[in-house]
Amino acid sequence: NTAVKKDKPLLKETTSAPEFHCKMRLKEKNLSIEGQEKALKAWMKKYHLLQQFKKINGHCRIPSQCDQDPSLGRWIRKQQQDKKMGRLSGAQEKLLDELDFDWQISNSWTEKFQELQQFKQKNGHCRVPYRYTADPSLGRWVDTQRQEKKNQRLPLYREQLLNELGFEWKGHRKTWMEHFQLLEHFKVEHGDCRVPHNYRANPSLGIWVANQRREKKNNRISTDREKMLNDLGFEWTPNSKQKSRKTTTNGEESSA
């Protein structure tokens, strides 16, 4: 029978146990020797879980609430905080560096990225409105990513994650599609696309509709957008003979 070769413990491959223990004690002076041993064992247990995560995923960017081990995400945050506060030993820092550990505290970014994933799963796209009523901070976060990329401050790995999700970097396209979807809802509710210019329920939609007509008149509207509007039954020339739609004080529409 062929003997199975066992992997050596990572601790022995990177630094000697006595050296590691000594440096750990320097940071944990308030603990007894027994307490230090216990703390080291707990630390190494989480470290090996992080090792496994990187082997599977290729990175160490674990969200605060990790499905496999909810406490692992919190442990990651603690290592980042401990390094910032000078509480992490040199040996611990060295072990984490060997995993290309991200020392920047980016918990909020990861959580917002996950929220964007959920948004896409529900809506089929990443075009989060800037004033997204369900989660206003998500709309602002999406806009911030565009600004960070424009100013060349967005890390490459974050840009790649957003690209893989189908993120749209041009904010104006998001605004156009956002209003187009509002126009779709308007047609479902009213049976046509004749949005009043002074539409009280959503003033920007009335202005947007007028802008589409102006863009076509000046030959500035793209072919794909014109087709989308045509398919929706968009009226390029408002007919003065058609029934006008008056806006009531509560924002509802009525025909005269």
Side-chain angles (χ1 to χ4, degrees), residues 2-189:
T2 304
V4 178
K5 185 179 179 180
K6 295 183 179 179
D7 293 333
K8 295 180 180 180
L10 181 70
L11 183 59
K12 292 184 180 180
E13 293 178 356
T14 54
T15 185
S16 64
E19 178 189 3
F20 189 90
H21 281 242
C22 179
K23 292 185 178 182
M24 172 75 91
R25 289 193 188 103
L26 291 176
K27 297 292 180 178
E28 300 287 355
K29 292 180 180 179
N30 60 320
L31 293 179
S32 63
I33 295 178
E34 184 180 351
Q36 292 175 35
E37 293 287 343
K38 187 176 180 180
L40 172 60
K41 182 179 289 186
W43 193 92
M44 288 304 301
K45 181 179 180 180
K46 292 298 182 188
Y47 179 83
H48 287 306
L49 288 175
L50 180 60
Q51 257 190 318
Q52 295 169 13
F53 181 93
K54 185 182 179 183
K55 186 175 181 180
I56 296 171
N57 299 279
H59 61 80
C60 297
R61 300 183 298 276
I62 300 179
S64 293
Q65 299 300 324
C66 179
D67 292 337
Q68 294 89 343
D69 182 355
S71 65
L72 185 57
R74 295 191 294 272
W75 183 83
I76 292 289
R77 305 288 87 77
K78 186 177 186 304
Q79 306 318 300
Q80 293 167 331
Q81 290 286 356
D82 283 351
K83 176 177 169 61
K84 184 178 180 180
M85 301 301 293
R87 294 194 297 256
L88 199 66
S89 73
Q92 290 169 308
E93 186 175 336
K94 180 181 177 182
L95 284 173
L96 290 167
D97 280 338
E98 289 172 358
L99 293 183
D100 295 321
F101 188 82
D102 185 359
W103 294 106
Q104 183 178 357
I105 300 176
S106 55
N107 176 37
S108 59
W109 195 96
T110 304
E111 290 183 346
K112 286 300 176 188
F113 180 76
Q114 290 178 323
E115 289 177 16
L116 183 60
Q117 287 178 309
Q118 295 170 3
F119 180 94
K120 183 179 180 181
Q121 186 176 5
K122 181 179 179 180
N123 299 279
H125 59 79
C126 298
R127 296 184 297 274
V128 184
Y130 184 77
R131 293 179 176 83
Y132 183 41
T133 54
D135 184 358
S137 64
L138 182 59
R140 292 193 296 270
W141 181 85
V142 165
D143 185 68
T144 298
Q145 305 318 299
R146 295 191 177 105
Q147 294 299 322
E148 290 291 287
K149 177 175 167 60
K150 182 179 180 181
N151 296 322
Q152 298 182 339
R153 293 196 300 258
L154 190 69
L156 181 59
Y157 78 87
R158 290 183 176 179
E159 183 178 342
Q160 291 173 338
L161 285 171
L162 290 166
N163 284 335
E164 290 170 2
L165 196 59
F167 191 85
E168 295 181 7
W169 295 103
K170 293 183 179 180
H172 71 274
R173 180 164 179 81
K174 176 212 67 171
T175 302
W176 194 94
M177 286 302 301
E178 178 185 342
H179 282 96
F180 180 80
Q181 291 168 344
L182 290 172
L183 183 60
E184 287 181 310
H185 295 319
F186 182 94
K187 184 178 180 181
V188 170
E189 185 176 352

